[in-house]
Amino acid sequence: MKALVLSGGAGTRLRPITHTSAKQLVPVANKPVLFYGLESIAAAGIRDTGIIVAPDTADEIRAAVGDGSRFGLDVTYIPQHAPLGLAHAVLIAREFLGDDDFVMYLGDNFIVGGITDLVEEFRTARPDAQILLTKVPDPRAFGVAELDIDGRVARLEEKPAHPRSDLALVGVYLFSPAVHEAVRAITPSARGELEITHALQWLIDERRTVTSTIISGYWKDTGNVADMLEVNRSVLEILTPANEGTVDAATEIIGRVRIGGGATVRGSRIVGPAVIGAGTVVENSYIGPSTSIAENCRVTDSEIEYSIVLSGSSLHGVGRVEASLIGRNVEITPAPAIPAAHRLVLGDHSKVQISS
């Protein structure tokens, strides 16, 4: 069995972070979300892995993942010139996939517990396709599955205005080579993409075997800030505490906290779960639960909670920051007392909330 990992896409819902970085490399608990998927693939006993990359972020993905050996994988990169749909990714990966079964994994998805059991289930039953489903409050943003009275997949729709069920497709699919005939048979949707839901529906219409597994565990599509922060919280909940830095006697550490090598914490209070990256300095500050601060940051005379701070950023004299995603090499400081005004330098698609 092989793996096909999708790491293209513009990441518009995570702008402005994704103006300068691939969305799959935004860190969760100081590790790129893509890496969790690659580790799950390796843990399932799969080695040969193709990664679909987009022109704008291909170099960054290659630099981060390399040849895959650090994950126990053998990685092949497959360029996709435009985001033309998940089925299009299967189409252009035909040479790499050959006639092998494969798992298709969306690189910005996060599944607690990995995919080992799902892969073994597929290997044993070997249907033409197996999909993962989970119940969501608002399925209109997802591919949606309708099951018959026997629990078999009867119908699939992509982002329907009026969903027939609350079962959304999770971003992991398992396929036999039968899917190659399906992706060649379908035509682009109204939004100009080759939809994987259409390919699956083609298999159903052709009376091929399409099975489903409803997962009750934790799953998130990390495509927006709220979900990214929630995944970060979930991962930190199972954090293994460690201190590889320097913490002075005036600092109070409570709960699960991991402090990276070369980090320095002075006169501060850190309430876990939280992670402080290597080389970061925290002084006279409060770091609250569900917070990840990356490497080489500086937090002084500030408070931050339920947030992600990327590498090289600094907060100085900031009263309170929460539920925030802060990019790389960002500087956050108080505004001058006079005049009493906010001074902002913001990129495209930024979102700011200001207390009056």
Side-chain angles (χ1 to χ4, degrees):
M1 180 176 270
K2 293 178 178 176
L4 184 65
V5 179
L6 276 60
S7 286
T12 55
R13 292 178 294 162
L14 279 174
R15 287 177 179 170
I17 300 294
T18 49
H19 280 309
T20 55
S21 180
K23 64 178 179 177
Q24 297 84 5
L25 296 181
V26 177
V28 169
N30 285 3
K31 181 165 67 176
V33 67
L34 173 63
F35 289 10
Y36 292 96
L38 296 177
E39 290 168 355
S40 293
I41 289 165
I46 299 170
R47 181 170 178 81
D48 291 331
T49 301
I51 300 183
I52 301 289
V53 290
D56 293 345
T57 57
D59 290 345
E60 187 182 17
I61 297 290
R62 287 174 186 267
V65 177
D67 63 2
S69 57
R70 62 183 288 191
F71 305 99
L73 301 174
D74 183 1
V75 167
T76 299
Y77 293 96
I78 304 166
Q80 186 182 36
H81 63 87
L84 297 176
L86 304 188
H88 180 261
V90 176
L91 197 66
I92 64 174
R94 182 69 176 91
E95 183 178 352
F96 165 76
L97 294 169
D99 291 324
D100 292 310
D101 295 342
F102 67 98
V103 56
M104 183 167 73
Y105 197 115
L106 274 59
D108 58 354
N109 275 225
F110 185 90
I111 299 177
V112 169
I115 62 171
T116 299
D117 291 344
L118 299 163
V119 169
E120 288 304 317
E121 181 183 338
F122 180 83
R123 282 174 166 153
T124 299
R126 204 167 179 271
D128 292 300
Q130 181 177 341
I131 59 176
L132 275 62
L133 304 174
T134 191
K135 292 186 177 183
V136 296
D138 184 2
R140 291 175 297 176
F142 303 94
V144 176
E146 182 183 358
L147 306 183
D148 64 19
I149 58 173
D150 296 319
R152 293 174 298 201
V153 183
R155 178 185 170 103
L156 295 159
E157 290 185 283
E158 183 64 29
K159 298 181 173 63
H162 305 287
R164 294 171 178 264
S165 83
D166 61 354
L167 292 172
L169 275 75
V170 174
V172 177
Y173 308 78
L174 298 107
F175 291 114
S176 77
V179 73
H180 298 300
E181 185 179 0
V183 298
R184 290 195 303 270
I186 62 174
T187 57
S189 65
R191 59 179 188 162
E193 296 187 8
L194 290 177
E195 311 285 1
I196 200 65
T197 46
H198 292 180
L200 287 161
Q201 187 64 51
W202 186 92
L203 289 171
I204 294 169
D205 293 341
E206 292 293 313
R207 301 189 181 280
R208 305 295 181 89
T209 305
V210 178
T211 61
S212 65
T213 300
I214 298 177
I215 62 171
S216 56
Y218 189 85
W219 164 78
K220 280 288 184 182
D221 170 358
T222 61
N224 61 52
V225 173
D227 285 341
M228 183 68 70
L229 292 173
E230 180 58 20
V231 170
N232 186 65
R233 182 203 63 76
S234 177
V235 174
L236 289 176
E237 288 291 342
I238 56 174
L239 178 77
T240 301
N243 180 13
E244 299 175 356
T246 302
V247 178
D248 72 359
T251 292
E252 184 180 16
I253 304 290
I254 301 172
R256 294 175 176 271
V257 176
R258 188 173 68 216
I259 299 173
T264 302
V265 184
R266 293 188 286 263
S268 298
R269 187 168 188 257
I270 303 179
V271 180
V275 58
I276 310 298
T280 285
V281 175
V282 179
E283 291 183 305
N284 304 319
S285 295
Y286 167 75
I287 310 297
S290 304
T291 301
S292 295
I293 299 177
E295 67 278 5
N296 301 318
C297 293
R298 190 172 189 92
V299 183
T300 58
D301 301 312
S302 299
E303 297 183 9
I304 185 167
E305 184 171 317
Y306 192 65
S307 296
I308 298 173
V309 181
L310 275 59
S311 61
S313 292
S314 64
L315 293 85
H316 174 70
V318 181
R320 182 76 172 184
V321 174
E322 59 183 37
S324 298
L325 174 58
I326 298 169
R328 295 173 178 83
N329 302 309
V330 171
E331 295 182 9
I332 302 176
T333 59
I338 300 175
H342 300 290
R343 185 170 183 267
L344 308 174
V345 180
L346 302 173
D348 296 346
H349 306 283
S350 294
K351 292 182 180 180
V352 176
Q353 292 181 329
I354 297 175
S355 300
S356 59

